[in-house]
Amino acid sequence: MDLVTGAMGNLAPKLLQLLQDEYKLQTGVREQVQSLSKELENIHTALRKVAAVPWDQLDEQVKVWAREVREVSYDMEDILDTFLVRVQGRETVDQGRLKRALKKMGDLFSKGKARREIAGAIEDIRKQLQEVAERRARYKVDENLAKPAARTSTIDPRLAAMYKEVTQLIGIDKARGELISMLSYQHRDDDVPEKEMKKVSVVGVGGLGKTTLAKAVYDKLKGDFNCGAFVPVGRNPDINKVLKDMLYELDKERYENIHSTTREGKQLIDLLREFLRNKRYFIVIDDIWETQSWEIIKLALVENNCGSRIIATTRKFEVAREAGEVYKLQPLSCDDSKKLFYTRIFGGDGKCLDNQPDEILDKILKKCDGIPLAIITMASLLVGKPREEWCELYSAIGFGHKDNMHVENTMRILSFSYYDLPSHLKTCLLYLSAFPEDYVIEKDLLIWKWIAEGFVHKKQGKLSLFELGEGYFNDLLNRSMIQAVESEWDGMVEGCRVHDMVLDLIRSLSREENFVAISDNVEGTLSQGKVRRLVHQNRTMENNTHQADHMDMSQVRSYIASRCDISQRVLLSSFKLLRVLAIENCRFGEDCHLENLGNLLHLRYLGLSGTNIRELPKEIEDLKFLQTLDVAETSITELPASVVLLTQLVCLRADWLNLSVSDGIGKLTSLEELRMHAVCDDKSQRRFVKELGSLRELRVLVVSIDCWMDESQQRELVESLRNLHKIQHLTLRIATREVVDIATWEAAGFTLPRHLQYLVLLFEFSRLPSCINPARLPNLTTLELWVASLDERDLKLLDRLTELRYLMLASESTVTVSNINASDGCFQKLRVFILPYSMVQFERNKEDSSVSLHIWNGTDAMPFKCSTENDCSLCAIPSAVMPNLQVLRTCVFVRALKDGNGDCANIIGLEYLTSLQKFRVWIDCEGASAAEVDEAEAALRNQTDVHPNRPALEVYRCNEVKMISSVQDQEPEDDNLPKEEEEDEKQQEEEADDAVAKLSLVDG
């Protein structure tokens, strides 16, 4: 489905579905269906041509025709879907032969009537298509498409960025320094000249200041080169013109008339290569959109070992990776944002003229999110306005106030990115206008919504619809249209946000094209015509039927409510064609429940996560097309037994709840994602574990089973897991009374598929499973493992999991990997390393400058010596020691360190972790004095203070009640503890209990 083409692409396949024998259409109707299918394909082809042209370049008559066709396509799809639902009928849980026979007779009568009615429906579609064809001819669509609407020449709104004086630029010094540093060769010997060409690409969203930064660096460095050029490319570039621009910039006198020549392609490339052959040059290629453009341009950039430099700027990560070493431009800091804002408002040095509280300014800058173009735009709207009016203006205008020149330029810059999207991505992006401002949109649920809406189409190949949708999501990220939200836990992308500028743009487009109708407490934006997608946000809904007085609810395909208080019953009877029902992060009143849910026969997506709804009606069994059922984080404690009849279900979420497992879950053979916390008795547990093996399409399995599992049940679980060949994400928690003997599992055939990426096993194995090795799991990125016994060979195996980004390793063993050097490498891509019960120590071997990695349980002999040196001269440290590690969580055993003659001055060895950003440590105080614990904590704080990154430090103390007092180190004079000391000890116990309750190295 597409913004321009609507449901037109779905119609022909659905019509052809009617030709199957099961529908038994009359001969005349079958001929009509075949004819209509051909006509639909013809119209769809014309619409795709319309979609390929930027909306602002289309003739107005073409726009009108496209809107009309889109609305007609929805109506036609509704007709077909309604027929298909009626013919296929409902499959309810009828017991008894008589009831089934009566139902079958009734179904035959109903289906026969429906088949007679389809002839009339087909005739209606034929008439509508005839009207579409007549309008197409009347509006001269094909003729107008051949010659897009004439446009007056416009000036590139980014042009001003190239002519800013450096003194006018705010917040650019840091970025300029970093980019210049990347263009140099910092780690070479002094006697080695910088002769090799260096290429760096600057990437970021539109309006972030990429052009401004590149121009500032170009102006600063160009004097060091024989020649230089700053050349813009842009969307849909004329590559010949770009090459001519480059020649002119390199030598204006020599190539003064280059633009009037007929040279092109290879001739221009040869001319450039000849000119640059023996020169040290500096060229900026600004605003590249496609890798194809870069591939041609770089042919002219001869590598002549003269120390030349290239900067490329782009909005797309795909292009950035191709163009050189990537520099991701960051938004302005809070202070620089304020300074830029005040400079535009008041001029001068950017200082506020008074000391008033800046509450409204904080709101404005939060909306702008550090993007210079957004800050300048918002400030321009407020220039000359009294301070007391700012709040009202902020609420009223945002970035949708198109009467202002700065807003218009901002929207135009953003629209470049929008119109560059392929049609399917335009639709997926516009769908994000249905979510509130600053809302974290969960990735997986968003993709399931796209699928339910029909935005994702099956293609030839092995990829599932979800995997295709995931590709769409990643494309939007790579094009900087959405902002990734990473999990603090493992660094994986778990969702996205939409920047306010982009949100205002897509809401404006969505409103103009009647894509989504939004109602909130601030200002309703509901259409008076047909509404296809209805959204409620941040409002109190006292009467959920009042909307029917203003619009035709029977055409609504999606109903989405976010952050709403729902005080009355949700009446669904007016929604005849609903495909998506998402009431998420809302609060229901005491007596609220879903009425008439069973009537939503077209429903594909039912999302109730984050609500206090208590139960699902039994009628859910009638939703035979339902694909996604999400009741996570609700008050629902049991699913209806009829859930197992929803055979088209691909996603079922009921995770981390006290849920009874429905018998027959093995019938849901289409499931790709299952998240469930199963509390059950022994009998139902065995049935559930066995039926898991029938779910062969599963990609994601997150299951927690609370009932104790003996060895026979564990073998049954292994047998089921062996059948899940498509699993990519496996989180498994089982209740066992003792350590799981891995030999039992491996005897039962425990293995894992090669494409597994995420593995969390929340129970303890006796040793490392043999299937966890680089040969069998080459794609594993996340691993959480509890292992009683671990040795050096095991740790080296884990090190060879080359894609591993996150590792949580809970073990009772002491392990050392010695003499790690640059050629060996060590966890090269690891970003997060967690040792909840062990201490890690990186120790430098002075003889050869290699490093040893120690994991110590605190009870074995200490395998390392704590150095008193505080060596942070990173030039001597091999970069191969976890070079990308950003988060470290570990323990420190103070008493054991002292007993092993260890010195706390340089514990852990943080200086060997050159990328470290966050450090959390759990200090075990048992047996140590308060002074010794304080010494250890001070040493840790000193290490983070002297580390170049100054990583954030979190320190927690455990077993404080078991610390020894300084008196115990002396000869005791009195065995009786003073009363005050007893009270102090009691208070310490209470404080320790609080600390332990808050502490979680794993869950934090």
Side-chain angles (χ1 to χ4, degrees):
M1 190 175 294
D2 180 274
L3 174 62
V4 174
T5 62
M8 191 61 67
N10 300 337
L11 291 176
K14 288 186 177 181
L15 270 174
L16 292 174
Q17 187 179 340
L18 297 177
L19 299 179
Q20 297 175 11
D21 290 340
E22 62 182 286
Y23 294 101
K24 297 182 172 61
L25 296 184
Q26 298 172 351
T27 302
V29 177
R30 292 175 66 88
E31 292 173 354
Q32 280 188 310
V33 167
Q34 291 172 328
S35 175
L36 289 177
S37 295
K38 293 178 182 178
E39 180 62 21
L40 286 167
E41 287 289 351
N42 186 286
I43 295 173
H44 192 212
T45 300
L47 282 173
R48 286 199 299 268
K49 292 179 180 179
V50 173
V53 180
W55 199 246
D56 58 347
Q57 297 179 28
L58 284 172
D59 182 89
E60 286 301 319
Q61 294 281 35
V62 176
K63 290 183 183 179
V64 170
W65 178 76
R67 288 192 186 105
E68 291 175 349
V69 174
R70 182 184 61 232
E71 293 302 316
V72 167
S73 75
Y74 288 138
D75 292 339
M76 289 190 287
E77 186 179 38
D78 291 343
I79 291 171
L80 285 173
D81 282 349
T82 301
F83 169 75
L84 292 172
V85 167
R86 290 186 60 187
V87 169
Q88 292 178 14
R90 302 183 181 186
E91 295 181 9
T92 55
V93 191
D94 286 330
Q95 301 297 326
R97 299 175 66 180
L98 178 59
K99 285 185 177 181
R100 287 197 297 271
L102 290 173
K103 179 181 180 296
K104 187 173 182 180
M105 291 174 62
D107 286 348
L108 287 172
F109 177 79
S110 176
K111 291 178 182 178
K113 181 180 178 182
R115 291 188 184 99
R116 289 192 296 273
E117 290 176 350
I118 191 60
I122 294 296
E123 179 61 21
D124 288 342
I125 293 174
R126 188 191 66 77
K127 290 179 180 179
Q128 292 188 53
L129 283 179
Q130 186 175 347
E131 292 177 7
V132 167
E134 290 172 356
R135 291 193 196 101
R136 181 176 174 183
R138 186 164 63 250
Y139 294 156
K140 300 180 180 179
V141 169
D142 297 304
E143 182 180 336
N144 287 324
L145 272 178
K147 50 174 186 178
R151 296 183 299 156
T152 57
S153 297
T154 58
I155 297 175
D156 187 341
R158 298 173 298 105
L159 197 59
M162 288 188 266
Y163 297 97
K164 291 270 187 186
E165 296 295 333
V166 174
T167 54
Q168 294 179 270
L169 302 177
I170 293 172
I172 202 171
D173 292 344
K174 182 173 182 290
R176 183 175 58 182
E178 291 172 344
L179 186 54
I180 290 173
S181 176
M182 289 181 68
L183 287 168
S184 65
Y185 290 89
Q186 298 178 341
H187 304 295
R188 291 182 168 231
D189 297 333
D190 292 339
D191 58 344
V192 178
E194 297 184 7
K195 289 186 176 182
E196 292 182 11
M197 178 189 288
K198 189 69 181 288
K199 292 178 281 192
V200 176
S201 58
V202 181
V203 67
V205 68
L208 194 55
K210 300 181 296 295
T211 299
T212 304
L213 172 63
K215 188 63 166 59
V217 172
Y218 178 74
D219 289 342
K220 185 174 180 64
L221 299 183
K222 64 181 179 181
D224 298 335
F225 296 83
N226 302 132
C227 56
F230 193 105
V231 183
V233 179
R235 286 181 63 227
N236 304 317
D238 179 343
I239 294 297
N240 289 328
K241 181 180 182 304
V242 171
L243 296 174
K244 290 178 180 179
D245 288 346
M246 198 183 306
L247 283 165
Y248 179 74
E249 287 282 323
L250 288 167
D251 192 331
K252 291 183 174 62
E253 293 184 5
R254 184 173 180 178
Y255 297 110
E256 180 180 5
N257 299 315
I258 189 65
H259 289 92
S260 60
T261 68
T262 58
R263 292 183 179 181
E264 58 182 34
K266 183 177 182 301
Q267 295 174 318
L268 294 171
I269 291 172
D270 290 343
L271 204 59
L272 277 162
R273 292 181 65 87
E274 178 64 28
F275 180 84
L276 297 173
R277 175 177 296 175
N278 299 311
K279 293 182 176 65
R280 186 171 188 259
Y281 57 88
F282 184 15
I283 296 177
V284 177
I285 310 297
D286 185 43
D287 197 30
I288 308 176
W289 286 74
E290 301 296 340
T291 54
Q292 297 93 318
S293 300
W294 169 250
E295 291 296 328
I296 296 173
I297 292 170
K298 76 174 184 180
L299 294 174
L301 306 176
V302 60
E303 298 194 22
N304 53 15
N305 289 323
C306 293
S308 299
R309 298 291 183 269
I310 305 293
I311 294 177
T313 73
T314 181
R315 303 184 189 193
K316 298 181 180 180
F317 280 94
E318 176 189 4
V319 176
R321 285 191 293 265
E322 290 292 324
E325 186 179 354
V326 177
Y327 177 73
K328 185 177 180 182
L329 183 58
Q330 299 299 320
L332 292 179
S333 67
C334 182
D335 289 342
D336 285 335
S337 296
K338 283 185 178 181
K339 187 175 182 181
L340 178 59
F341 179 84
Y342 280 132
T343 298
R344 179 66 186 91
I345 292 282
F346 302 115
D349 58 2
K351 291 183 178 179
C352 183
L353 299 181
D354 54 41
N355 294 317
Q356 298 181 45
D358 283 340
E359 182 179 344
I360 182 59
L361 174 61
D362 291 340
K363 289 183 178 179
I364 292 171
L365 294 183
K366 183 175 183 293
K367 187 177 184 71
C368 297
D369 200 25
I371 294 185
L373 181 65
I375 296 168
I376 293 170
T377 298
M378 290 298 288
S380 300
L381 293 171
L382 301 175
V383 168
K385 305 291 192 305
R387 182 70 173 257
E388 55 270 17
E389 293 182 12
W390 284 14
C391 185
E392 180 181 351
L393 288 167
Y394 162 79
S395 301
I397 53 181
F399 296 105
H401 194 66
K402 294 184 179 179
D403 295 336
N404 182 280
M405 179 189 69
H406 292 280
V407 175
E408 188 175 344
N409 283 341
T410 299
M411 291 297 104
R412 195 188 313 167
I413 288 171
L414 288 176
S415 69
F416 290 164
S417 291
Y418 173 77
Y419 289 123
D420 185 64
L421 297 173
S423 59
H424 64 279
L425 290 186
K426 288 192 182 90
T427 309
C428 291
L429 180 64
L430 283 188
Y431 194 73
L432 302 186
S433 66
F435 297 93
E437 192 174 299
D438 298 324
Y439 195 81
V440 176
I441 306 167
E442 187 183 335
K443 181 187 79 170
D444 289 5
L445 291 180
L446 173 63
I447 295 170
W448 288 126
K449 288 185 178 81
W450 284 345
I451 291 171
E453 287 275 4
F455 298 161
V456 184
H457 297 285
K458 186 69 175 176
K459 297 180 180 178
Q460 289 184 344
K462 295 183 179 180
L463 291 181
S464 67
L465 284 176
F466 183 89
E467 289 167 325
L468 289 169
E470 194 170 29
Y472 294 0
F473 182 91
N474 292 336
D475 283 345
L476 290 174
L477 274 181
N478 290 334
R479 291 167 178 265
S480 303
M481 296 305 297
I482 57 178
Q483 301 169 327
V485 175
E486 293 185 349
S487 167
E488 292 185 7
W489 180 232
D490 57 15
M492 304 293 287
V493 175
E494 61 183 9
C496 69
R497 282 192 181 92
V498 183
H499 190 279
D500 284 356
M501 288 196 308
V502 177
L503 183 60
D504 283 336
L505 171 69
I506 61 178
R507 281 189 173 175
S508 174
L509 292 166
S510 181
R511 187 164 49 246
E512 184 179 341
E513 297 305 318
N514 192 28
F515 189 75
V516 173
I518 300 175
S519 174
D520 57 31
N521 274 342
V522 179
E523 180 181 358
T525 59
L526 295 179
S527 168
Q528 296 301 312
K530 290 181 178 179
V531 172
R532 305 292 180 179
R533 297 173 187 88
L534 176 61
V535 174
H536 286 153
Q537 296 174 355
N538 305 309
R539 61 172 297 171
T540 299
M541 298 161 59
E542 296 178 350
N543 186 349
N544 291 288
T545 62
H546 75 283
Q547 298 293 345
D549 299 331
H550 305 287
M551 68 184 72
D552 183 1
M553 303 294 283
S554 64
Q555 307 296 322
V556 174
R557 292 168 159 243
S558 295
Y559 177 78
I560 299 175
S562 303
R563 298 174 178 170
C564 293
D565 287 330
I566 304 172
S567 58
Q568 299 212 358
R569 295 180 178 181
V570 182
L571 302 179
L572 302 172
S573 55
S574 56
F575 297 107
K576 305 294 185 185
L577 300 165
L578 205 63
R579 288 161 171 78
V580 173
L581 176 59
I583 304 176
E584 298 167 339
N585 299 307
C586 295
R587 181 166 184 80
F588 287 89
E590 282 296 319
D591 298 325
C592 284
H593 59 272
L594 302 175
E595 288 193 350
N596 308 115
L597 181 65
N599 292 334
L600 304 180
L601 303 181
H602 298 264
L603 200 65
R604 268 76 170 172
Y605 183 102
L606 176 58
L608 301 168
S609 63
T611 68
N612 59 329
I613 195 162
R614 291 187 175 89
E615 64 178 4
L616 289 176
K618 178 179 177 295
E619 291 74 22
I620 195 173
E621 67 188 37
D622 295 331
L623 309 180
K624 63 177 302 177
F625 294 109
L626 194 66
Q627 299 170 339
T628 298
L629 175 60
D630 179 18
V631 293
E633 300 178 39
T634 66
S635 298
I636 296 173
T637 58
E638 188 171 356
L639 293 176
S642 54
V643 163
V644 299
L645 299 177
L646 305 177
T647 55
Q648 293 197 31
L649 211 60
V650 290
C651 173
L652 174 57
R653 289 188 171 200
D655 47 339
W656 313 119
L657 294 175
N658 184 20
L659 272 164
S660 298
V661 180
S662 301
D663 292 343
I665 198 169
K667 297 176 183 177
L668 302 179
T669 54
S670 297
L671 274 180
E672 296 181 30
E673 177 179 341
L674 175 62
R675 299 174 186 263
M676 178 175 285
H677 187 127
V679 178
C680 47
D681 57 27
D682 182 74
K683 182 179 179 181
S684 58
Q685 175 185 272
R686 284 186 178 274
R687 184 163 50 244
F688 173 71
V689 166
K690 186 175 182 179
E691 291 186 356
L692 274 180
S694 301
L695 309 181
R696 297 173 181 266
E697 297 299 314
L698 280 177
R699 287 181 307 98
V700 177
L701 177 61
V702 180
V703 170
S704 177
I705 304 174
D706 279 353
C707 190
W708 295 109
M709 271 194 169
D710 58 27
E711 283 194 5
S712 66
Q713 291 169 320
Q714 291 177 33
R715 283 193 291 270
E716 290 174 352
L717 176 61
V718 170
E719 289 172 6
S720 289
L721 292 176
R722 286 171 54 192
N723 292 332
L724 309 183
H725 303 297
K726 297 185 178 182
I727 282 287
Q728 297 176 15
H729 176 138
L730 176 61
T731 296
L732 187 61
R733 177 184 175 274
I734 61 173
T736 60
R737 289 184 169 85
E738 54 190 16
V739 173
V740 172
D741 184 3
I742 188 59
T744 301
W745 281 51
E746 291 181 342
F750 179 51
T751 187
L752 295 166
R754 284 181 59 84
H755 41 260
L756 190 70
Q757 299 174 16
Y758 191 108
L759 178 61
V760 174
L761 300 175
L762 298 174
F763 52 92
E764 190 173 18
F765 277 123
S766 56
R767 59 172 173 79
L768 185 71
S770 60
C771 61
I772 299 179
N773 68 65
R776 298 186 182 181
L777 299 177
N779 302 305
L780 196 67
T781 62
T782 298
L783 176 61
E784 191 167 320
L785 199 60
W786 302 65
V787 183
S789 177
L790 196 72
D791 59 24
E792 182 179 0
R793 176 181 172 277
D794 296 332
L795 201 56
K796 286 183 175 180
L797 275 176
L798 297 179
D799 172 32
R800 287 165 51 204
L801 294 169
T802 55
E803 297 302 315
L804 200 63
R805 265 75 166 177
Y806 170 94
L807 175 61
M808 195 291 292
L809 195 56
S811 178
E812 303 166 11
S813 299
T814 295
V815 188
T816 293
V817 177
S818 303
N819 304 322
I820 302 167
N821 52 51
S823 60
D824 296 331
C826 178
F827 293 101
Q828 291 288 305
K829 294 185 179 180
L830 198 66
R831 293 178 54 182
V832 180
F833 188 28
I834 299 175
L835 296 167
Y837 302 129
S838 306
M839 175 176 167
V840 66
Q841 177 75 31
F842 299 93
E843 183 181 26
R844 183 179 176 186
N845 307 308
K846 294 184 178 180
E847 293 79 9
D848 57 5
S849 295
S850 65
V851 172
S852 294
L853 165 62
H854 306 281
I855 296 177
W856 180 38
N857 61 12
T859 57
D860 294 338
M862 193 170 71
F864 53 85
K865 295 180 181 180
C866 282
S867 171
T868 57
E869 299 176 7
N870 222 343
D871 183 11
C872 284
S873 55
L874 297 181
C875 59
I877 295 166
S879 60
V881 181
M882 298 189 184
N884 292 297
L885 193 73
Q886 298 177 14
V887 178
L888 175 64
R889 298 176 185 175
T890 186
C891 300
V892 168
F893 307 110
V894 178
R895 181 71 270 149
L897 277 169
K898 292 295 182 181
D899 291 344
N901 296 319
D903 193 306
C904 291
N906 197 29
I907 50 178
I908 306 300
L910 295 186
E911 64 267 26
Y912 301 101
L913 305 175
T914 56
S915 298
L916 193 66
Q917 300 296 327
K918 296 179 181 179
F919 178 40
R920 178 182 293 185
V921 62
W922 189 0
I923 298 180
D924 185 354
C925 305
E926 182 176 359
S929 68
E932 290 170 333
V933 172
D934 289 342
E935 178 192 356
E937 183 170 339
L940 292 167
R941 295 193 183 280
N942 181 62
Q943 281 203 50
T944 57
D945 287 342
V946 299
H947 193 286
N949 300 342
R950 294 184 65 85
L953 174 64
E954 295 178 35
V955 177
Y956 298 92
R957 295 185 178 188
C958 69
N959 294 325
E960 282 192 277
V961 296
K962 297 181 180 180
M963 279 197 303
I964 60 174
S965 67
S966 57
V967 177
Q968 289 178 277
D969 294 328
Q970 305 169 8
E971 287 295 326
E973 296 181 2
D974 189 353
D975 292 335
N976 297 320
L977 288 174
K979 183 175 181 181
E980 294 83 355
E981 192 168 326
E982 290 181 351
E983 291 175 351
D984 289 343
E985 184 170 312
K986 183 176 180 181
Q987 183 179 356
Q988 287 179 350
E989 289 178 354
E990 292 173 350
E991 291 173 351
D993 289 339
D994 291 340
V996 172
K998 295 176 182 177
L999 174 65
S1000 174
L1001 282 178
V1002 179
D1003 297 333

